[in-house]
Each structure stands twice: as C-alpha cells, then as structure tokens.
Amino acid sequence: ASLQQTLAQDTSKKSCYEFLNMTSRSFAAVIQELDEELRDSVCLFYLVLRGLDTIEDDMSLDLNRKVELLRSFDQIIYQKGWTFNENGPNEKDRELLVHFDVIINEFLRLKPEYQKVIANITKLMGDGMADYVSGEHRENTAIATVKDFDLYCHYVAGLVGYGLSDLFAASGLESKEIADDKVLSNAMGLFLQKTNIIRDYREDLDDGRQFWPKEIWGKYVEKFSDLTKPEYKDKAQACLSDMVLNVLDDVPQVLTYLSKLKNQSVFNFCAIPQVMAISTLALVFNNLDIYHRNLKIRKGQAVKLIMDSKDMDHVVSIFRQYVFEISRKNEATDPNFMKISMAIGRIEQWI
Ligand code: PS7
Ligand code: MN
Ligand code: MN
Ligand code: MN
Ligand code: MN
Ligand code: MN
C-alpha cells in the first residue's frame, strides 16, 4: 500500500476507536486491553451492534423503515460508503450512524472469518429486534411472558455472547470448546442485559419503553408505572425481588463460563462486566430508589472491582461478597424470600 493509503487507514482506524470511546460506557477500556489479534474485531463487533441498537432505539424512525433497516443491517455492513441519512434525535450514538462509512471500511479490512461471525450475529439480532418492534402502542409490550423476556434478551445480548465466543475461538486465543456451549455464552449476555433492564426501569419508562415481563410485574400491579407510586411500595419491593430472582438463575453459568477461559486479556474482558453486574444487582436489590432514579455503583468501587478481577479466585470471591450482600438484604416478609434463599443456595454450591 502507498504511504497515503497507510495514513488514511490509520486515520479511519483511529476514528473507530474514537467512536468506541464516545459510545460505550463500560466496554471501551476492556476492549482496548484485548490482545492485538482480537482487539479490532471485537471493537468493530461492538460498533456494528451499537449502530444496530441505535436504529432499534430510535423512536422517531418510521416503523416500516426501522424494520427494513434492522433486517438488512447484515448487508449494510458490506456496502462501502453507506451512511444514515434519516432525521433523528441528535445524540452521540446517532453520530456513529451518520459516519457509518468509516466503520464499514474498517469492518471490511478484518479477516474474512471475523467478518462472517459479525455478519451472522448481526443478521440474527436484527431479525430478533424486528420481531419485537411493537409500534406506537408500547403499553401493549411484546414482552409478556418470562419466555418472551428470555428470548428478547437472547436476541440483544445472548447472541453477543455467541459471537464473542466465536471470535475467541477463531482467534486461537481460546479453545474451540468455548464456542460450543451455547447455553453458557447465552447466560453471559443474559446476566448483563437483565441487570441493565432492572437498573434502567425509570430511564426506560420515561422513554416510553418497558422490558420487564408482564408475567412478573403483573403479579404485583395493574399498570407498569404503578410501581413508582408510594401506595404500592410493598408491591414494588416484592416485584423487584422477583426480577432479581430471575437474574440470579444465570450466575452459576456465568461462573462456569469464566472458569473455562485461558487467555488473560480475554478473561479480563469477560469478567469485568460480569463483576460490575453482580455489584449492580446487589445495589438495586431491595432498593426502591430504582423506581425513581438511575442507580450507579460508586466510581471508586468500580475501579477497585476492575483491578481485582484478574483471576478466577478473585472473581469468585467478589461474587461471594455480593451474593452475601443480597442474602443479608433478603427479608423474611418478602413473598420471594424462600425462592431467593434457594437460588443463593445453588450459587453457594459453586462458590
Ligand atoms: C461486542 C463487546 C463476554 C461471552 C451494543 C457483552 C444494547 C448489556 O441499551 O449500552 O444503553 O441500556 O449499557 C458488545 C458475553 C449490543 C453483552 C446490549 C456489544 C457478554 C447491542 C452485552 C454491545 C455479551 C444490544 C450494552 C449486552 O449495554 O445498554 C460487544 C461474553 C451492544 C455482552 C445491547 C447491551 C449491551 C448489553 P443500553 P448498554
Ligand atoms: Mn447504558
Ligand atoms: Mn435497544
Ligand atoms: Mn440501547
Ligand atoms: Mn459529524
Ligand atoms: Mn438499558
């Protein structure tokens, strides 16, 4: 390649990392610490999915157009020069779509086997998201049952787990077996997504979106927004513990997945978000503030968790600490008290 081409490529790769830093709250740092063989492919995987999610989240987009974009996004990533021209909310994630040609350029420079993994997951996720786009009447949410909830979270997060495991295996940094156990890869995504959905109750409600399955919240209130009302305080507390109970199911599988990893940079990349999630789960459990504002673990706590997540022993002890905190906050008057105790018992067999 000519010097000029090399310089242009340098600039476009740099732009991709700028988009990564701009759009990700937590993944930017861990992605940049990955071994060189995986760094760019995981970065581009992130950016492609961030673009797809921005389309899914854009409530101003015409519905037919949205579905068309979601279902064809796996082809868009092969179209040199494609940019997003529709009007929309001018937020930082939209910037990425407006300049998507830069991401496509870098995507096309990845090894073909990495491109294939990313395109395959993009197709499955885009179709899944399209199936769940329910239109203007958001109160008639498509997420009715716990089964619907699991399927939605599979599409938007479990599939990310599949794709990342495929990339790890393709890089040779991890064994092929890590990509074979789909249940474990799926659980890695579900644990992050479900914790995010619990924590973001208020933010999502204010955006007119609801992800909690009606099969759970419907046991406690008639309207999803009633969970914010003081007169339903006890119902809201029980509903929250029911949601946390649902997420605790995934913990043993998360720990099993992490225990199979061999490469240090892959381990850090995988473990840090999971450790953040368990600490977030302990923070939100029995904490009615989630119905009013966005709770976040303290910066200093996050920094400490990141530094401590270097090996399986440390990760297990962090999980033990937060599971213990959940156990300590579990109240005998809570209708889910017994079930939560049992879920914790199953986790304790692991730790
Ligand atoms: C490719 C690193 C490690 C085996 C953009 C990482 C949004 C929780 O919507 O941005 O703003 O509230 O806070 C990430 C499994 C996915 C699941 C999913 C791609 C772990 C598009 C993360 C991330 C699998 C759909 C970020 C799932 O939340 O959400 C890469 C192993 C993207 C992972 C979305 C959510 C991710 C998420 P929001 P956030
Ligand atoms: Mn977020
Ligand atoms: Mn979304
Ligand atoms: Mn989103
Ligand atoms: Mn611009
Ligand atoms: Mn969220």
Side-chain angles (χ1 to χ4, degrees), residues 174-235:
E174 293 293 340
S175 69
K176 301 280 172 222
E177 286 86 72
I178 199 71
D180 291 341
D181 196 330
K182 301 293 181 209
V183 173
L184 298 184
S185 293
N186 191 52
M188 289 288 284
L190 255 55
F191 187 62
L192 300 185
Q193 186 67 24
K194 289 181 169 184
T195 301
N196 181 296
I197 283 174
I198 295 176
R199 189 203 58 190
D200 290 352
Y201 169 90
R202 185 65 206 216
E203 185 184 301
D204 291 333
L205 180 72
D206 291 344
D207 290 343
R209 322 188 61 182
Q210 57 185 58
F211 297 107
W212 295 22
K214 188 168 187 200
E215 187 178 344
I216 292 182
W217 64 261
K219 286 194 259 178
Y220 305 98
V221 285
E222 262 168 46
K223 269 175 57 206
F224 189 55
S225 57
D226 284 346
L227 291 166
T228 61
K229 295 184 179 157
E231 61 266 39
Y232 297 115
K233 192 173 138 294
D234 292 344
K235 297 288 183 192

Side-chain angles (χ1 to χ4, degrees), residues 26-49:
S26 44
F27 290 112
V30 279
I31 290 174
Q32 284 166 108
E33 294 295 325
L34 277 168
D35 284 1
E36 182 160 5
E37 179 58 36
L38 271 172
R39 196 182 307 138
D40 292 348
S41 55
V42 174
C43 175
L44 268 301
F45 191 23
Y46 179 89
L47 293 172
V48 165
L49 297 184

